[in-house]
Amino acid sequence: MSRQFSVAVAGCTGAVGVEMLKVLEERNFPISKLKLLASARSAGKKMKFRGEDIVVEELTHDSFKGVDIALFSAGGSISKEFRQSVVDAGAIMIDNSSAFRMDDDVPLVVPEVNPEDVKKHKGVIANPNCSTIIMLVAVAPLHKAFGLKRLVASTYQATSGAGAKGMEEMLVQTRQVLNEEPIAPNVFAHRIAFNLIPHIDVFTENGYTKEELKMLNETRKMLHDDSIKVSCTCVRVPVMRAHSESLNLEFKTKVTPEMAREVLAKAAGVTLKDDPAAKVYPMPVDASGQGNVFVGRIRQDISRDDECGLDIFVAGDQVLKGAALNAVQIAELVAAL
Ligand SMILES: NC(=O)c1ccc[n+]([C@@H]2O[C@H](COP(=O)([O-])OP(=O)(O)OC[C@H]3O[C@@H](n4cnc5c(N)ncnc54)[C@H](OP(=O)(O)O)[C@@H]3O)[C@@H](O)[C@H]2O)c1
């Protein structure tokens, strides 16, 4: 019989945690025992896995005895607090937060992009930022074929990117606007219903937000190329689920839309949605619940005199491929080590 793993999910009641359980079940991950962990608020609650009720336990430093793989999605401060306990227990931590992504001893992995980096782990593997994952599933195969020089991205990020509370805030505010009731923003800096907010994570000294700089730094780390230039504007939009991105790409060699389509049609994790005449292009409602990243609107960049630029549009479910699915795919790579 092939090896079975004792798995813990920390943050099991959250937007990402709930999806992790579904993905573990759907992909039939070889689990001998599943431990569900969340805050004291959720302890005692029951969640279903493979038809069985599992009782949620409070996350403590003793939670990881006998655990082989610990999937974390409870926020960066929780990951930092429990990292040592996970490693001391001999488990491998796969972390969804931004806590360790840029650490030299922590591989940052998208299985379709840099699966071999998993081998370098020293007890912790990080899941990249959700917008970066969605972008790189589409961009990495083009980079491999044509050599990416520079990338300019604008994102359209769903409210679920801020967790279960983010989705709830959009729904509550939408009702409040329709009922002409007063609105008090809480999760987001401003009203999100019937609005958009060009502000995700905190601002840094150079005027970019941390979210925007994650897309630069994580791209360079995963493509192993510090010469790639990246500039981003990250925007929260009143979409429930799935992030979209407009990407302007500059390559070292000439590339036509046909050449790009040929590469992307064969790329793992990509679904081409590129038939504008039939009104087929990537949209968040279609990408929601899908593991693949949708790519379309592939055009030659007409602002250039050479043929080295492309514009593309992507949409991907950031709770799934941007978090839960990517983490479980990493666990599959770990299981195969
Ligand atoms: N949402 C996304 O699209 C997305 C994408 C990529 C990465 N991530 C990352 O994934 C992590 C979770 O995000 P989310 O969107 O799933 O958030 P969420 O919906 O707010 O869920 C947070 C989870 O963390 C648990 N938690 C909070 N405080 C805790 C504590 N003191 N001890 C133990 N558990 C605690 C919560 O348990 P209770 O229910 O008991 O409070 C809940 O299970 C974050 O690091 C986030 O940056 C999210």
Side-chain angles (χ1 to χ4, degrees), residues 157-159 170 174 192-197 236-241:
Q157 297 184 221
T159 52
M170 182 181 80
T174 303
I192 186 65
F194 305 98
N195 192 21
L196 54 80
I197 308 170
R236 185 76 66 195
V237 295
V239 162
M240 192 67 105
R241 189 157 154 163

Side-chain angles (χ1 to χ4, degrees), residues 17-68:
V18 166
E19 289 301 323
M20 271 180 182
L21 300 193
K22 281 194 211 156
V23 174
L24 287 167
E25 191 166 328
E26 277 164 18
R27 294 179 74 92
N28 206 14
F29 191 81
I31 295 179
S32 52
K33 185 172 190 299
L34 181 65
K35 215 171 203 190
L36 299 185
L37 305 167
S39 77
R41 292 179 292 274
S42 303
K45 190 179 160 184
K46 287 182 185 141
M47 294 179 78
K48 282 241 182 286
F49 184 72
R50 293 181 182 157
E52 307 263 324
D53 278 335
I54 301 184
V55 179
V56 176
E57 297 169 45
E58 182 183 353
L59 172 63
T60 70
H61 287 281
D62 295 326
S63 296
F64 302 99
K65 251 179 232 158
V67 169
D68 300 308

Side-chain angles (χ1 to χ4, degrees), residues 169 173-174 177 181 183-186 188-197 236:
E169 180 148 310
Q173 288 185 359
T174 303
V177 172
E181 289 166 8
I183 286 176
N186 177 28
F188 303 114
H190 299 276
R191 158 183 152 179
I192 186 65
F194 305 98
N195 192 21
L196 54 80
I197 308 170
R236 185 76 66 195

Side-chain angles (χ1 to χ4, degrees), residues 11 13-16 38-39 41-42 59 73-75 78 96-97 160-161 163-164 318 322-323:
T13 52
V16 175
S39 77
R41 292 179 292 274
S42 303
L59 172 63
S73 68
I78 302 288
N96 262 291
S97 80
S160 51
Q318 93 292 346

Side-chain angles (χ1 to χ4, degrees), residues 14 63 90-91 93 102 160 175 204 221 225 230 238-239 254 296 302 335:
S63 296
M93 178 190 236
M102 296 312 295
S160 51
R175 279 187 214 105
T204 69
K221 180 165 174 173
D225 186 345
V230 176
V239 162
K254 286 192 177 188
I302 56 167

